[in-house]
Amino acid sequence: MEKLMRKFFLFLSNNKFFTKLAKKYGFKMFASRFVAGETVEEAADAIRELNHKNMIVTLDHLGEFVNDEQEARDRTDECVRAIETIANQKLDSQLSLKMTSMGLDISKELVMENMRKILEAGKKHGVFVTIDMEDYERCQLTLDIFEELKQEYDGLGTVLQAYLYRTVEDLEKLDQYNPNLRLVKGAYKESPKVAYPDKKDVDENFKKIIKMHLLNGNYTAVATHDDAMIDYTKELVKEHGISNDQFEFQMLYGIRQELQEKLVKEGYTMRVYVPYGNDWFGYNMRRLAERPANVAFVLKGIFKK
């Protein structure tokens, strides 16, 4: 059944008819709950509203797996424009990006050129940039590029996924850079040869890397909607006397909004991951194809707010 669902969602993500239909009729009905708009100006309005609620943001222009050089350059220019918008409108936001949008699958030379262009803009305007982690196939190259660029730019972070066996070792290796890392469970469907197949093992590894990174004295973004992981982090920082300015919680735009507001009232830093762009239909379908169980997760998030 899972294989059939994956094929179905992948079919939808690449189907021009359904994409066109969704863009015409579906945004307000479905995507507007989870995507801030199709333009950076619309996204800026959403960021401003969140900032007024004392939440900070990381902004993501939707799109990935680009195989055309000009498209990669266009997406790079959009990231630069997003940084400029954040700075010009004095929004409290960072930028997140996927390197497959910047040409990772085309050539290292292209993605490095595009990344430096974005990071130069980030440096100029004081906007922090996070490299999102993608599937296991691209994990090592992503970390290699992160390490190379981290030696040139301070305002750069990346993501580690708790469900991969390799993550503890990766965390130990990256510690030399005192990195600002987003720690997540991981949403891609991976082989049990490289990732824990059981949730309980993923949860235990998630706790392990949260503790490691915090006790190493590094800034830690705990990206989760899981109450158990949130409570674990609260108890951990209290036990070890870790200041609230050394970590933050991160959640997706439109998911568990009441919990986001509750954490802010409790004095925690809450960063909301805000996606925007016209690739919202394909993005949502690919996320569901990677892990069909996300259907239940999204529905749960809607009703729990």
Side-chain angles (χ1 to χ4, degrees):
M1 178 59 71
E2 187 171 294
K3 289 182 179 179
L4 288 174
M5 290 180 69
R6 184 174 297 111
K7 289 180 180 180
F8 174 68
F9 288 125
L10 284 174
F11 165 75
L12 290 179
S13 72
N14 295 314
N15 187 280
K16 293 182 179 180
F17 172 77
F18 284 110
T19 298
K20 183 178 180 180
L21 195 66
K23 286 182 177 180
K24 185 174 181 180
Y25 299 109
F27 188 86
K28 289 184 179 179
M29 290 189 297
F30 177 73
S32 60
R33 173 63 188 270
F34 307 104
V35 179
E38 296 185 276
T39 68
V40 70
E41 289 80 15
E42 291 173 323
D45 290 338
I47 295 172
R48 193 174 295 105
E49 183 177 345
L50 290 166
N51 288 169
H52 286 162
K53 295 179 179 180
N54 295 317
M55 299 181 196
I56 54 180
V57 168
T58 187
L59 181 64
D60 171 43
H61 180 239
L62 292 174
E64 55 194 299
F65 305 125
V66 170
N67 293 305
D68 178 79
E69 181 174 332
Q70 186 56 52
E71 185 178 355
R73 294 187 188 280
D74 290 344
R75 291 187 179 277
T76 298
D77 290 342
E78 177 63 28
C79 285
V80 171
R81 184 164 173 255
I83 288 172
E84 292 171 345
T85 299
I86 289 168
N88 293 338
Q89 298 194 26
K90 296 180 172 55
L91 302 172
D92 195 341
S93 179
Q94 300 178 353
L95 180 77
S96 289
L97 60 83
K98 292 178 175 60
M99 287 200 298
T100 54
S101 287
M102 311 304 145
L104 184 69
D105 292 346
I106 300 172
S107 73
K108 184 178 179 183
E109 291 75 20
L110 177 63
V111 74
M112 293 299 284
E113 176 188 342
N114 288 338
M115 285 299 302
R116 286 191 174 100
K117 184 175 182 179
I118 293 167
L119 290 169
E120 284 296 329
K123 182 178 179 180
K124 176 182 177 181
H125 294 288
V127 176
F128 191 88
V129 176
T130 295
I131 299 172
D132 286 345
M133 187 58 69
E134 301 182 63
D135 58 359
Y136 180 81
E137 180 183 350
R138 296 168 177 85
C139 181
Q140 186 60 56
L141 181 55
T142 297
L143 293 180
D144 289 344
I145 290 174
F146 169 74
E147 289 191 67
E148 185 173 344
L149 291 172
K150 185 62 178 172
Q151 297 175 56
E152 302 175 37
Y153 300 94
D154 290 331
L156 178 66
T158 192
V159 180
L160 292 182
Q161 300 162 311
Y163 69 168
L164 297 181
Y165 300 137
R166 60 174 290 166
T167 296
V168 168
E169 185 177 338
D170 288 333
L171 190 63
E172 292 172 342
K173 183 180 179 183
L174 293 179
D175 184 54
Q176 63 183 305
Y177 302 103
N178 303 118
N180 177 330
L181 297 178
R182 180 194 304 149
L183 304 181
V184 304
K185 290 188 182 183
Y188 292 84
K189 184 66 176 178
E190 302 288 2
S191 165
K193 293 181 180 179
V194 301
Y196 293 104
D198 295 329
K199 181 181 181 299
K200 64 179 180 63
D201 294 322
V202 176
D203 287 351
E204 286 306 308
N205 205 43
F206 196 21
K207 291 178 181 178
K208 183 175 183 178
I209 62 174
I210 291 170
K211 184 175 183 178
M212 285 177 60
H213 201 52
L214 282 170
L215 294 187
N216 283 342
N218 298 317
Y219 193 85
T220 306
V222 180
T224 183
H225 302 91
D226 187 334
D227 290 316
M229 296 301 113
I230 293 169
D231 290 341
Y232 171 79
T233 303
K234 290 179 179 179
E235 293 167 5
L236 179 69
V237 298
K238 183 178 180 180
E239 177 185 353
H240 293 276
I242 296 171
S243 171
N244 282 5
D245 62 10
Q246 192 190 320
F247 71 98
E248 65 188 44
F249 292 111
Q250 291 190 7
M251 294 186 191
L252 297 173
Y253 182 70
I255 298 287
R256 304 207 66 186
Q257 294 161 314
E258 291 180 358
L259 177 58
Q260 293 175 16
E261 294 173 6
K262 179 175 180 286
L263 289 169
V264 170
K265 290 178 181 177
E266 292 175 353
Y268 296 104
T269 302
M270 181 72 243
R271 188 179 302 277
V272 181
Y273 189 99
V274 175
Y276 80 98
N278 59 19
D279 190 39
W280 61 266
F281 180 75
Y283 169 83
N284 285 339
M285 292 305 103
R286 284 191 293 272
R287 295 293 76 74
L288 296 177
E290 286 157 3
R291 197 172 180 86
N294 283 343
V295 176
F297 168 76
V298 169
L299 291 174
K300 182 178 179 182
I302 292 172
F303 293 112
K304 290 186 72 174
K305 294 187 179 181

